[in-house]
């Protein structure tokens, strides 16, 4: 299942969502210089909030499916999931 993780403005809150909406896999990016955090999907340009709800664009009103998240230490995760890829964004 394609998913993505989002870290909240407080740098502590984490949410995970399925990336598929209406059978279409979406790719999400952080919209620069927004507060609160706003995401944009590359396929439709719709804007999404931290709760996974589309707040603008062609998918307005749609809700992403949440995925349960377990906070863990990186060294522990990496031991059991060595092929994990990590993407880090600079300051937004």
């Amino acid at each position: 299942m394609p998913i993505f993780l989002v870290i909240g403005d407080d740098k502590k809150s984490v949410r995970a969502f399925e990336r598929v909406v209406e059978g279409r896999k979406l790719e999400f990016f952080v919209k620069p210089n927004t507060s609160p955090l706003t995401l944009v999907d590359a396929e439709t340009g719709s804007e999404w909030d931290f709760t996974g709800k589309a707040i603008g664009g062609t998918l307005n009103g749609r809700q992403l499916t949440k995925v349960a998240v377990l906070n863990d230490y990186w060294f522990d995760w990496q031991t059991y999931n060595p092929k994990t890829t990590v993407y880090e964004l600079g300051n937004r």
Side-chain angles (χ1 to χ4, degrees), residues 24-42:
R24 185 177 190 182
K25 185 167 63 171
L26 303 177
E27 187 170 0
F28 291 88
F29 298 93
V30 174
K31 185 175 181 178
N33 304 315
T34 57
S35 184
L37 173 80
T38 302
L39 302 166
V40 177
D41 74 72

Side-chain angles (χ1 to χ4, degrees), residues 46-48 53-62:
S46 296
E47 295 187 357
W48 303 79
K53 184 174 182 178
I55 54 174
T58 59
L59 296 176
N60 189 37
R62 305 295 195 298

Side-chain angles (χ1 to χ4, degrees), residues 8-86:
D9 287 330
D10 64 2
K11 307 292 188 233
K12 296 177 185 177
S13 303
V14 177
R15 303 264 168 91
F17 301 99
E18 291 184 20
R19 292 175 45 201
V20 177
V21 176
E22 299 177 350
R24 185 177 190 182
K25 185 167 63 171
L26 303 177
E27 187 170 0
F28 291 88
F29 298 93
V30 174
K31 185 175 181 178
N33 304 315
T34 57
S35 184
L37 173 80
T38 302
L39 302 166
V40 177
D41 74 72
E43 289 68 27
T44 72
S46 296
E47 295 187 357
W48 303 79
D49 66 15
F50 188 61
T51 69
K53 184 174 182 178
I55 54 174
T58 59
L59 296 176
N60 189 37
R62 305 295 195 298
Q63 179 67 48
L64 298 172
T65 302
K66 288 184 180 181
V67 176
V69 175
L70 169 68
N71 287 334
D72 201 355
Y73 291 102
W74 171 246
F75 68 85
D76 190 35
W77 176 266
Q78 188 179 31
T79 299
Y80 296 100
N81 302 277
K83 294 183 180 180
T84 299
T85 302
V86 176

